[in-house]
Amino acid sequence: MSTSEIGTGAAIPPGPAPTEAVVPPAPAPGSAGPVASGPGVSAGKGVAPGLAVPAGKAPAPARKPRRELLAASVGSVVEAYDWTIYGVLAPYFAEQLFPGSSPTARLIAAYLGFALGFLVRPLGSVVIGRLTDTRGRRFGLTLTVGLIAAGSLLLAVIPGHASIGIAAPLLVVAARLVQGLSVGAENPSAAAYVTETAPGRSRYFYSAVSYGGVVLGSALSFVVLAVLLGVFGEAGVEDGAWRLAFVFGALLGLTALWIRRGAAESEVFAEEAGKRGGTSPWPVLRAHLGPLSVVFAITSGATTVFYFLTVDFPAYAADAGAATKEEASGALLLGMVALLGGMLAAGRAADRFGALPVLRTGFAGLALGSVPLLAGMVAGRVPVPVVTVALLFLLALPLAVSNVFAGQLFPPAVRAVAVGLPAALAISVFGGTFPALAEWLRSTGHGGWVPWWPAITCAAALLASWGVREHPRPDIPVSE
């Protein structure tokens, strides 16, 4: 986000007839090896290659991948909504919940609460990710969305600072820490689940749909704010109507919890669970330092561009004199449509041509095109909407495939932790700090340097992608 081999969803030669023994393919360097092997293991009808079942056993009932896709995607919507709505509403609730000598001081305190959530995301990816790798994908998915919903409900009912004093901001921080822990594990848990349950011929399309929930959730937060402002007005939202947005988030989370409780467990996890016991994941992770570095680099590039475009871009455009903040924000709405459409198209393309060509095309375009496009915008030669559409479409390519791409780098025993830890660290270091870095550059008169940071991180992600090559892992079904 040493070399390793990853799955692409491409077909491999069909296995032998059901009565013959299956010789498992050789494991990738440093991998945990195939899920099932040894004498008496045969491929049953309807079972994908590499997921053999013992002779004499009937194959498991057919899975319902669309229900599993819904279970993965709805959590992404809740995660993104609850994470974003706090930042969107901070100017409206800061005066009620935080102490301070001025409105600015209260708002800064509220944003510090936002930042604390980033700091605990790596911890959540390890703690809850480990539970996902040992207790099950469905257990991890229900736990993360339940914690996110609980955090939103707490934010909705916290009394004001005038009523309970310092306890109010402390409760806000507690809610954000809980949400940070859960968000740190939500995406890697969903990534592991989609990696193991999506149909082989549509695996990257499913990855794109599930991660598209992040975009929808972020957009939903702005829709909810617009509705609140339209119904209650700015004064009404500041007076307490902001709490309704967190109530909505809690209800959304409970709906996602209900959907996920009805989803089936991953067959890959079920096959593997009885063989590994309580083995520590750290030796396996140490054997996969190369892929861990790749996930970190890929996530760093994508998250830097994402936070630049979705958080800092209006300020950048206004400071450069290219557009007002309102005009830049309007252009971003068009870009978000391009982002969603691009992700779906990229998922289809990756299923046909492989993940790495799609991912590398996106990062190459961002590394080489960001600075020229933004320079053209500042000079008045490139319209602002063209810039947002082009950059967000390019970002769609790595975002669409990154979940399953990363999941297939690691064996099931450590998949959630291995995807989550480097990704959470990258988001905390590069995503959470980028708005502050950009503001500091502008304040020192170096605002023109801002686009270079996303371009450099994308160039590093492109280079890192050459540290892996595409090849199906033996524990992942590749055709159905």
Side-chain angles (χ1 to χ4, degrees):
M1 129 54 159
S2 77
T3 61
S4 178
E5 298 176 346
I6 66 169
T8 66
I12 63 174
T19 57
E20 298 175 357
V22 173
V23 179
S31 74
V35 170
S37 63
V41 178
S42 61
K45 183 178 180 182
V47 180
L51 273 182
V53 296
K57 269 194 181 181
R63 293 186 286 107
K64 297 177 177 156
R66 291 184 181 178
R67 176 64 181 264
E68 293 157 355
L69 176 61
L70 175 63
S73 304
V74 71
S76 298
V77 175
V78 175
E79 167 208 339
Y81 172 83
D82 283 347
W83 193 256
T84 306
I85 197 66
Y86 180 97
V88 169
L89 289 175
Y92 300 94
F93 65 68
E95 189 164 349
Q96 287 192 18
L97 297 182
F98 288 88
S101 57
S102 69
T104 301
R106 297 187 187 101
L107 183 57
I108 290 174
Y111 282 138
L112 286 175
F114 184 74
L116 285 174
F118 279 96
L119 295 180
V120 298
R121 285 173 73 152
L123 178 62
S125 69
V126 172
V127 175
I128 302 178
R130 179 60 176 156
L131 291 173
T132 302
D133 284 332
T134 55
R135 299 286 299 275
R137 309 307 187 207
R138 191 175 68 167
F139 177 87
L141 292 173
T142 54
L143 178 60
T144 55
V145 81
L147 289 175
I148 293 172
S152 283
L153 184 59
L154 178 56
L155 289 168
V157 301
I158 294 173
H161 178 262
S163 300
I164 60 174
I166 194 65
L170 290 178
L171 287 172
V172 172
V173 169
R176 289 302 293 176
L177 291 177
V178 167
Q179 289 185 321
L181 288 170
S182 56
V183 169
E186 162 61 33
N187 189 61
S189 297
Y193 191 60
V194 173
T195 300
E196 297 168 0
T197 61
R201 294 186 181 92
S202 302
R203 181 161 292 119
Y204 288 110
F205 181 73
Y206 274 48
S207 174
V209 172
S210 65
Y211 203 81
V214 173
V215 181
L216 291 176
S218 298
L220 183 59
S221 65
F222 292 99
V223 171
V224 168
L225 175 60
V227 171
L228 290 177
L229 290 172
V231 174
F232 298 99
E234 186 172 342
V237 175
E238 291 177 350
D239 198 41
W242 55 266
R243 296 181 183 274
L244 296 176
F246 290 116
V247 171
F248 177 74
L251 293 175
L252 199 63
L254 291 175
T255 302
L257 181 64
W258 173 73
I259 292 173
R260 285 183 164 182
R261 285 180 62 86
E265 182 56 88
S266 154
E267 290 179 9
V268 171
F269 176 85
E271 287 282 336
E272 186 78 5
K275 302 175 184 180
R276 60 176 177 262
T279 305
S280 169
W282 304 116
V284 183
L285 291 176
R286 283 195 295 269
H288 289 76
L289 290 179
L292 287 168
S293 301
V294 171
V295 174
F296 180 85
I298 288 172
T299 307
S300 299
T303 194
T304 304
V305 175
F306 183 83
Y307 278 93
F308 169 56
L309 293 174
T310 61
V311 177
D312 186 68
F313 182 76
Y316 171 80
D319 180 73
T324 66
K325 288 185 178 181
E326 291 74 17
E327 290 170 342
S329 297
L332 280 175
L333 293 178
L334 188 61
M336 287 295 182
V337 175
L339 177 61
L340 279 174
M343 289 178 69
L344 297 179
R348 289 295 190 197
D351 284 322
R352 182 172 181 180
F353 302 109
L356 283 176
V358 172
L359 183 143
R360 288 169 179 162
T361 298
F363 278 131
L366 291 167
L368 299 174
S370 296
V371 174
L373 275 172
L374 291 164
M377 181 189 77
V378 172
R381 293 191 295 268
V382 183
V384 176
V386 172
V387 173
T388 59
V389 167
L391 293 180
L392 283 167
F393 181 85
L394 289 170
L395 177 61
L397 305 188
L399 285 185
V401 303
S402 58
N403 271 0
V404 168
F405 176 89
Q408 291 178 122
L409 288 169
F410 307 100
V414 297
R415 184 164 284 145
V417 172
V419 172
L421 180 57
L425 287 171
I427 291 169
S428 297
V429 173
F430 289 90
T433 62
F434 183 81
L437 172 64
E439 190 60 39
W440 176 77
L441 287 171
R442 282 191 290 271
S443 69
T444 57
H446 298 98
W449 294 3
V450 171
W452 285 95
W453 190 231
I456 290 170
T457 57
C458 287
L462 177 63
L463 290 174
S465 74
W466 294 97
V468 291
R469 61 189 180 90
E470 300 202 41
H471 188 77
R473 286 191 59 84
D475 57 82
I476 301 295
V478 295
S479 63
E480 287 154 16

